[in-house]
Amino acid sequence: MASKRNILAICMASLVLAACGGTPEERSNRIEEQRQSRLTENQRDGSRFFDLFGDRGEDQKIGVNKYLWAASLDTLSILPIEAADPFSGIITTDWGRVNGASQPYRITVYITEPALEARSLRVAVFRQSGGRAVAVSDEIAKEIENAILTRARQIRVSEAGRRS
């Protein structure tokens, strides 16, 4: 009985290896060819992810301010980032404790316009209480908005200094 199981296991392993496409060297070569093909497509297209923030045309721009986006990610780095979508301008953190706080917090940032202005930014802050999300005071959200705006201006000034 044990030998039948061993033979069956060897047959299954052989089938799996055959389905994978041969030797490890052949698989490695095929993966490298696929990678080169993708690189060639990107080079032909001339597009990269960060080109979306550039001046290549209206159809390829992201509708959020790049300084607000970078500053938001930088400011929220104290919490684990759950989702960040530059096309919609929404960054959401997962629950986390800030500076030893007793309750976990969650922050959502909405970047609504491409201008580097306070009206382009909205922040929602929640704390966990009894297993539910409870909104915190508007003052805390305003403090976070101000921190993001300050950081965005610092990034813009720093980038302008590198250009000159």
PDB file of all heavy atoms in Angstrom, residues 26-51:
ATOM      1  N   GLU A  26      14.941  26.320 -17.915  1.00  0.00           N
ATOM      2  CA  GLU A  26      13.975  26.697 -18.953  1.00  0.00           C
ATOM      3  C   GLU A  26      12.948  27.676 -18.402  1.00  0.00           C
ATOM      4  O   GLU A  26      12.587  28.648 -19.066  1.00  0.00           O
ATOM      5  CB  GLU A  26      13.273  25.447 -19.501  1.00  0.00           C
ATOM      6  CG  GLU A  26      14.168  24.555 -20.334  1.00  0.00           C
ATOM      7  CD  GLU A  26      13.514  23.228 -20.678  1.00  0.00           C
ATOM      8  OE1 GLU A  26      12.529  22.843 -19.999  1.00  0.00           O
ATOM      9  OE2 GLU A  26      13.980  22.572 -21.615  1.00  0.00           O
ATOM     10  N   ARG A  27      12.468  27.432 -17.181  1.00  0.00           N
ATOM     11  CA  ARG A  27      11.498  28.345 -16.556  1.00  0.00           C
ATOM     12  C   ARG A  27      12.126  29.710 -16.341  1.00  0.00           C
ATOM     13  O   ARG A  27      11.516  30.741 -16.591  1.00  0.00           O
ATOM     14  CB  ARG A  27      10.979  27.764 -15.242  1.00  0.00           C
ATOM     15  CG  ARG A  27      10.007  26.625 -15.436  1.00  0.00           C
ATOM     16  CD  ARG A  27       9.301  26.252 -14.142  1.00  0.00           C
ATOM     17  NE  ARG A  27      10.193  25.893 -13.057  1.00  0.00           N
ATOM     18  CZ  ARG A  27      10.687  24.671 -12.846  1.00  0.00           C
ATOM     19  NH1 ARG A  27      10.383  23.690 -13.659  1.00  0.00           N
ATOM     20  NH2 ARG A  27      11.474  24.430 -11.841  1.00  0.00           N
ATOM     21  N   SER A  28      13.360  29.730 -15.877  1.00  0.00           N
ATOM     22  CA  SER A  28      14.059  30.992 -15.640  1.00  0.00           C
ATOM     23  C   SER A  28      14.212  31.772 -16.943  1.00  0.00           C
ATOM     24  O   SER A  28      14.002  32.992 -16.969  1.00  0.00           O
ATOM     25  CB  SER A  28      15.422  30.712 -15.023  1.00  0.00           C
ATOM     26  OG  SER A  28      16.144  31.901 -14.871  1.00  0.00           O
ATOM     27  N   ASN A  29      14.579  31.071 -18.029  1.00  0.00           N
ATOM     28  CA  ASN A  29      14.710  31.732 -19.331  1.00  0.00           C
ATOM     29  C   ASN A  29      13.381  32.299 -19.800  1.00  0.00           C
ATOM     30  O   ASN A  29      13.322  33.403 -20.332  1.00  0.00           O
ATOM     31  CB  ASN A  29      15.269  30.757 -20.379  1.00  0.00           C
ATOM     32  CG  ASN A  29      16.720  30.426 -20.139  1.00  0.00           C
ATOM     33  OD1 ASN A  29      17.429  31.155 -19.443  1.00  0.00           O
ATOM     34  ND2 ASN A  29      17.181  29.314 -20.699  1.00  0.00           N
ATOM     35  N   ARG A  30      12.291  31.532 -19.609  1.00  0.00           N
ATOM     36  CA  ARG A  30      10.975  31.980 -20.040  1.00  0.00           C
ATOM     37  C   ARG A  30      10.535  33.214 -19.236  1.00  0.00           C
ATOM     38  O   ARG A  30      10.001  34.173 -19.794  1.00  0.00           O
ATOM     39  CB  ARG A  30       9.954  30.847 -19.883  1.00  0.00           C
ATOM     40  CG  ARG A  30       8.678  31.102 -20.630  1.00  0.00           C
ATOM     41  CD  ARG A  30       7.759  29.890 -20.741  1.00  0.00           C
ATOM     42  NE  ARG A  30       7.637  29.067 -19.556  1.00  0.00           N
ATOM     43  CZ  ARG A  30       8.219  27.863 -19.403  1.00  0.00           C
ATOM     44  NH1 ARG A  30       8.952  27.353 -20.360  1.00  0.00           N
ATOM     45  NH2 ARG A  30       8.062  27.188 -18.294  1.00  0.00           N
ATOM     46  N   ILE A  31      10.803  33.210 -17.936  1.00  0.00           N
ATOM     47  CA  ILE A  31      10.456  34.357 -17.089  1.00  0.00           C
ATOM     48  C   ILE A  31      11.238  35.587 -17.528  1.00  0.00           C
ATOM     49  O   ILE A  31      10.703  36.685 -17.628  1.00  0.00           O
ATOM     50  CB  ILE A  31      10.708  34.025 -15.600  1.00  0.00           C
ATOM     51  CG1 ILE A  31       9.685  33.004 -15.126  1.00  0.00           C
ATOM     52  CG2 ILE A  31      10.660  35.282 -14.747  1.00  0.00           C
ATOM     53  CD1 ILE A  31       9.979  32.422 -13.762  1.00  0.00           C
ATOM     54  N   GLU A  32      12.521  35.406 -17.838  1.00  0.00           N
ATOM     55  CA  GLU A  32      13.346  36.526 -18.284  1.00  0.00           C
ATOM     56  C   GLU A  32      12.850  37.071 -19.624  1.00  0.00           C
ATOM     57  O   GLU A  32      12.800  38.292 -19.826  1.00  0.00           O
ATOM     58  CB  GLU A  32      14.813  36.095 -18.402  1.00  0.00           C
ATOM     59  CG  GLU A  32      15.746  37.205 -18.826  1.00  0.00           C
ATOM     60  CD  GLU A  32      15.794  38.368 -17.857  1.00  0.00           C
ATOM     61  OE1 GLU A  32      15.497  38.195 -16.658  1.00  0.00           O
ATOM     62  OE2 GLU A  32      16.116  39.474 -18.304  1.00  0.00           O
ATOM     63  N   GLU A  33      12.437  36.182 -20.531  1.00  0.00           N
ATOM     64  CA  GLU A  33      11.892  36.627 -21.813  1.00  0.00           C
ATOM     65  C   GLU A  33      10.614  37.434 -21.614  1.00  0.00           C
ATOM     66  O   GLU A  33      10.409  38.461 -22.259  1.00  0.00           O
ATOM     67  CB  GLU A  33      11.600  35.419 -22.713  1.00  0.00           C
ATOM     68  CG  GLU A  33      12.830  34.755 -23.274  1.00  0.00           C
ATOM     69  CD  GLU A  33      12.502  33.449 -23.987  1.00  0.00           C
ATOM     70  OE1 GLU A  33      11.304  33.118 -24.147  1.00  0.00           O
ATOM     71  OE2 GLU A  33      13.450  32.745 -24.366  1.00  0.00           O
ATOM     72  N   GLN A  34       9.751  36.985 -20.696  1.00  0.00           N
ATOM     73  CA  GLN A  34       8.509  37.712 -20.421  1.00  0.00           C
ATOM     74  C   GLN A  34       8.814  39.088 -19.835  1.00  0.00           C
ATOM     75  O   GLN A  34       8.201  40.081 -20.194  1.00  0.00           O
ATOM     76  CB  GLN A  34       7.620  36.916 -19.466  1.00  0.00           C
ATOM     77  CG  GLN A  34       7.031  35.672 -20.085  1.00  0.00           C
ATOM     78  CD  GLN A  34       6.343  34.793 -19.058  1.00  0.00           C
ATOM     79  OE1 GLN A  34       6.428  35.025 -17.853  1.00  0.00           O
ATOM     80  NE2 GLN A  34       5.648  33.769 -19.538  1.00  0.00           N
ATOM     81  N   ARG A  35       9.793  39.137 -18.933  1.00  0.00           N
ATOM     82  CA  ARG A  35      10.160  40.408 -18.323  1.00  0.00           C
ATOM     83  C   ARG A  35      10.712  41.369 -19.384  1.00  0.00           C
ATOM     84  O   ARG A  35      10.336  42.542 -19.435  1.00  0.00           O
ATOM     85  CB  ARG A  35      11.205  40.187 -17.225  1.00  0.00           C
ATOM     86  CG  ARG A  35      11.495  41.433 -16.397  1.00  0.00           C
ATOM     87  CD  ARG A  35      12.521  41.155 -15.328  1.00  0.00           C
ATOM     88  NE  ARG A  35      13.851  41.015 -15.870  1.00  0.00           N
ATOM     89  CZ  ARG A  35      14.626  42.031 -16.278  1.00  0.00           C
ATOM     90  NH1 ARG A  35      14.188  43.257 -16.194  1.00  0.00           N
ATOM     91  NH2 ARG A  35      15.838  41.818 -16.742  1.00  0.00           N
ATOM     92  N   GLN A  36      11.569  40.871 -20.256  1.00  0.00           N
ATOM     93  CA  GLN A  36      12.130  41.700 -21.324  1.00  0.00           C
ATOM     94  C   GLN A  36      11.037  42.188 -22.268  1.00  0.00           C
ATOM     95  O   GLN A  36      11.060  43.332 -22.725  1.00  0.00           O
ATOM     96  CB  GLN A  36      13.198  40.921 -22.110  1.00  0.00           C
ATOM     97  CG  GLN A  36      14.477  40.687 -21.352  1.00  0.00           C
ATOM     98  CD  GLN A  36      15.200  41.971 -21.016  1.00  0.00           C
ATOM     99  OE1 GLN A  36      15.103  42.958 -21.725  1.00  0.00           O
ATOM    100  NE2 GLN A  36      15.916  41.966 -19.904  1.00  0.00           N
ATOM    101  N   SER A  37      10.062  41.311 -22.533  1.00  0.00           N
ATOM    102  CA  SER A  37       8.955  41.690 -23.406  1.00  0.00           C
ATOM    103  C   SER A  37       8.161  42.837 -22.788  1.00  0.00           C
ATOM    104  O   SER A  37       7.795  43.792 -23.461  1.00  0.00           O
ATOM    105  CB  SER A  37       8.050  40.481 -23.647  1.00  0.00           C
ATOM    106  OG  SER A  37       6.897  40.870 -24.332  1.00  0.00           O
ATOM    107  N   ARG A  38       7.894  42.759 -21.476  1.00  0.00           N
ATOM    108  CA  ARG A  38       7.164  43.830 -20.794  1.00  0.00           C
ATOM    109  C   ARG A  38       7.981  45.119 -20.802  1.00  0.00           C
ATOM    110  O   ARG A  38       7.446  46.200 -21.004  1.00  0.00           O
ATOM    111  CB  ARG A  38       6.803  43.422 -19.374  1.00  0.00           C
ATOM    112  CG  ARG A  38       5.606  42.522 -19.294  1.00  0.00           C
ATOM    113  CD  ARG A  38       5.126  42.395 -17.874  1.00  0.00           C
ATOM    114  NE  ARG A  38       6.120  41.828 -16.983  1.00  0.00           N
ATOM    115  CZ  ARG A  38       6.248  40.525 -16.730  1.00  0.00           C
ATOM    116  NH1 ARG A  38       5.453  39.658 -17.291  1.00  0.00           N
ATOM    117  NH2 ARG A  38       7.170  40.088 -15.905  1.00  0.00           N
ATOM    118  N   LEU A  39       9.287  45.012 -20.574  1.00  0.00           N
ATOM    119  CA  LEU A  39      10.133  46.198 -20.599  1.00  0.00           C
ATOM    120  C   LEU A  39      10.103  46.843 -21.977  1.00  0.00           C
ATOM    121  O   LEU A  39      10.001  48.052 -22.110  1.00  0.00           O
ATOM    122  CB  LEU A  39      11.581  45.830 -20.239  1.00  0.00           C
ATOM    123  CG  LEU A  39      11.880  45.594 -18.770  1.00  0.00           C
ATOM    124  CD1 LEU A  39      13.313  45.123 -18.599  1.00  0.00           C
ATOM    125  CD2 LEU A  39      11.626  46.832 -17.953  1.00  0.00           C
ATOM    126  N   THR A  40      10.172  46.024 -23.012  1.00  0.00           N
ATOM    127  CA  THR A  40      10.141  46.546 -24.369  1.00  0.00           C
ATOM    128  C   THR A  40       8.825  47.254 -24.642  1.00  0.00           C
ATOM    129  O   THR A  40       8.804  48.325 -25.236  1.00  0.00           O
ATOM    130  CB  THR A  40      10.360  45.403 -25.380  1.00  0.00           C
ATOM    131  OG1 THR A  40      11.584  44.742 -25.061  1.00  0.00           O
ATOM    132  CG2 THR A  40      10.439  45.936 -26.790  1.00  0.00           C
ATOM    133  N   GLU A  41       7.710  46.679 -24.182  1.00  0.00           N
ATOM    134  CA  GLU A  41       6.406  47.321 -24.362  1.00  0.00           C
ATOM    135  C   GLU A  41       6.378  48.672 -23.670  1.00  0.00           C
ATOM    136  O   GLU A  41       5.910  49.656 -24.231  1.00  0.00           O
ATOM    137  CB  GLU A  41       5.295  46.433 -23.813  1.00  0.00           C
ATOM    138  CG  GLU A  41       5.007  45.205 -24.643  1.00  0.00           C
ATOM    139  CD  GLU A  41       4.025  44.274 -23.958  1.00  0.00           C
ATOM    140  OE1 GLU A  41       3.353  44.707 -22.995  1.00  0.00           O
ATOM    141  OE2 GLU A  41       3.934  43.118 -24.378  1.00  0.00           O
ATOM    142  N   ASN A  42       6.901  48.746 -22.432  1.00  0.00           N
ATOM    143  CA  ASN A  42       6.918  50.014 -21.701  1.00  0.00           C
ATOM    144  C   ASN A  42       7.810  51.035 -22.386  1.00  0.00           C
ATOM    145  O   ASN A  42       7.490  52.213 -22.442  1.00  0.00           O
ATOM    146  CB  ASN A  42       7.385  49.805 -20.261  1.00  0.00           C
ATOM    147  CG  ASN A  42       6.309  49.188 -19.404  1.00  0.00           C
ATOM    148  OD1 ASN A  42       5.136  49.220 -19.750  1.00  0.00           O
ATOM    149  ND2 ASN A  42       6.712  48.608 -18.290  1.00  0.00           N
ATOM    150  N   GLN A  43       8.951  50.583 -22.917  1.00  0.00           N
ATOM    151  CA  GLN A  43       9.840  51.509 -23.594  1.00  0.00           C
ATOM    152  C   GLN A  43       9.208  52.016 -24.874  1.00  0.00           C
ATOM    153  O   GLN A  43       9.318  53.182 -25.215  1.00  0.00           O
ATOM    154  CB  GLN A  43      11.173  50.835 -23.893  1.00  0.00           C
ATOM    155  CG  GLN A  43      12.000  50.596 -22.648  1.00  0.00           C
ATOM    156  CD  GLN A  43      13.164  49.662 -22.885  1.00  0.00           C
ATOM    157  OE1 GLN A  43      13.251  48.992 -23.907  1.00  0.00           O
ATOM    158  NE2 GLN A  43      14.069  49.604 -21.920  1.00  0.00           N
ATOM    159  N   ARG A  44       8.513  51.122 -25.598  1.00  0.00           N
ATOM    160  CA  ARG A  44       7.836  51.521 -26.821  1.00  0.00           C
ATOM    161  C   ARG A  44       6.752  52.532 -26.505  1.00  0.00           C
ATOM    162  O   ARG A  44       6.585  53.526 -27.176  1.00  0.00           O
ATOM    163  CB  ARG A  44       7.215  50.275 -27.469  1.00  0.00           C
ATOM    164  CG  ARG A  44       7.276  50.281 -28.955  1.00  0.00           C
ATOM    165  CD  ARG A  44       6.707  49.022 -29.569  1.00  0.00           C
ATOM    166  NE  ARG A  44       7.201  47.789 -28.991  1.00  0.00           N
ATOM    167  CZ  ARG A  44       6.420  46.851 -28.439  1.00  0.00           C
ATOM    168  NH1 ARG A  44       5.131  46.987 -28.421  1.00  0.00           N
ATOM    169  NH2 ARG A  44       6.934  45.774 -27.930  1.00  0.00           N
ATOM    170  N   ASP A  45       6.022  52.260 -25.448  1.00  0.00           N
ATOM    171  CA  ASP A  45       4.930  53.136 -25.040  1.00  0.00           C
ATOM    172  C   ASP A  45       5.482  54.428 -24.433  1.00  0.00           C
ATOM    173  O   ASP A  45       4.876  55.472 -24.516  1.00  0.00           O
ATOM    174  CB  ASP A  45       4.049  52.387 -24.045  1.00  0.00           C
ATOM    175  CG  ASP A  45       2.835  53.156 -23.629  1.00  0.00           C
ATOM    176  OD1 ASP A  45       2.447  54.091 -24.350  1.00  0.00           O
ATOM    177  OD2 ASP A  45       2.271  52.827 -22.577  1.00  0.00           O
ATOM    178  N   GLY A  46       6.648  54.331 -23.792  1.00  0.00           N
ATOM    179  CA  GLY A  46       7.248  55.491 -23.158  1.00  0.00           C
ATOM    180  C   GLY A  46       6.590  55.862 -21.855  1.00  0.00           C
ATOM    181  O   GLY A  46       6.818  56.926 -21.313  1.00  0.00           O
ATOM    182  N   SER A  47       5.744  54.989 -21.309  1.00  0.00           N
ATOM    183  CA  SER A  47       5.009  55.358 -20.100  1.00  0.00           C
ATOM    184  C   SER A  47       5.591  54.668 -18.879  1.00  0.00           C
ATOM    185  O   SER A  47       6.051  53.535 -18.947  1.00  0.00           O
ATOM    186  CB  SER A  47       3.535  54.990 -20.243  1.00  0.00           C
ATOM    187  OG  SER A  47       3.398  53.602 -20.377  1.00  0.00           O
ATOM    188  N   ARG A  48       5.564  55.370 -17.822  1.00  0.00           N
ATOM    189  CA  ARG A  48       5.942  54.877 -16.506  1.00  0.00           C
ATOM    190  C   ARG A  48       4.885  55.391 -15.532  1.00  0.00           C
ATOM    191  O   ARG A  48       4.196  56.370 -15.810  1.00  0.00           O
ATOM    192  CB  ARG A  48       7.311  55.408 -16.073  1.00  0.00           C
ATOM    193  CG  ARG A  48       8.438  54.986 -16.968  1.00  0.00           C
ATOM    194  CD  ARG A  48       9.012  53.663 -16.463  1.00  0.00           C
ATOM    195  NE  ARG A  48      10.220  53.317 -17.146  1.00  0.00           N
ATOM    196  CZ  ARG A  48      10.268  52.524 -18.195  1.00  0.00           C
ATOM    197  NH1 ARG A  48       9.179  52.023 -18.698  1.00  0.00           N
ATOM    198  NH2 ARG A  48      11.425  52.227 -18.754  1.00  0.00           N
ATOM    199  N   PHE A  49       4.797  54.774 -14.380  1.00  0.00           N
ATOM    200  CA  PHE A  49       3.801  55.191 -13.393  1.00  0.00           C
ATOM    201  C   PHE A  49       3.970  56.648 -13.016  1.00  0.00           C
ATOM    202  O   PHE A  49       3.011  57.409 -12.975  1.00  0.00           O
ATOM    203  CB  PHE A  49       3.898  54.312 -12.139  1.00  0.00           C
ATOM    204  CG  PHE A  49       3.015  54.776 -11.026  1.00  0.00           C
ATOM    205  CD1 PHE A  49       1.650  54.584 -11.090  1.00  0.00           C
ATOM    206  CD2 PHE A  49       3.533  55.444  -9.936  1.00  0.00           C
ATOM    207  CE1 PHE A  49       0.818  55.026 -10.083  1.00  0.00           C
ATOM    208  CE2 PHE A  49       2.714  55.886  -8.931  1.00  0.00           C
ATOM    209  CZ  PHE A  49       1.350  55.675  -9.003  1.00  0.00           C
ATOM    210  N   PHE A  50       5.200  57.082 -12.774  1.00  0.00           N
ATOM    211  CA  PHE A  50       5.420  58.448 -12.313  1.00  0.00           C
ATOM    212  C   PHE A  50       5.217  59.481 -13.421  1.00  0.00           C
ATOM    213  O   PHE A  50       5.107  60.662 -13.158  1.00  0.00           O
ATOM    214  CB  PHE A  50       6.798  58.578 -11.668  1.00  0.00           C
ATOM    215  CG  PHE A  50       6.884  57.822 -10.381  1.00  0.00           C
ATOM    216  CD1 PHE A  50       7.596  56.638 -10.294  1.00  0.00           C
ATOM    217  CD2 PHE A  50       6.211  58.264  -9.263  1.00  0.00           C
ATOM    218  CE1 PHE A  50       7.649  55.932  -9.115  1.00  0.00           C
ATOM    219  CE2 PHE A  50       6.260  57.571  -8.076  1.00  0.00           C
ATOM    220  CZ  PHE A  50       6.979  56.393  -8.001  1.00  0.00           C
ATOM    221  N   ASP A  51       5.150  59.034 -14.689  1.00  0.00           N
ATOM    222  CA  ASP A  51       4.846  59.955 -15.778  1.00  0.00           C
ATOM    223  C   ASP A  51       3.428  60.495 -15.658  1.00  0.00           C
ATOM    224  O   ASP A  51       3.101  61.516 -16.249  1.00  0.00           O
ATOM    225  CB  ASP A  51       5.001  59.262 -17.139  1.00  0.00           C
ATOM    226  CG  ASP A  51       6.456  59.002 -17.462  1.00  0.00           C
ATOM    227  OD1 ASP A  51       7.323  59.591 -16.797  1.00  0.00           O
ATOM    228  OD2 ASP A  51       6.710  58.192 -18.371  1.00  0.00           O
TER     229      ASP A  51
END
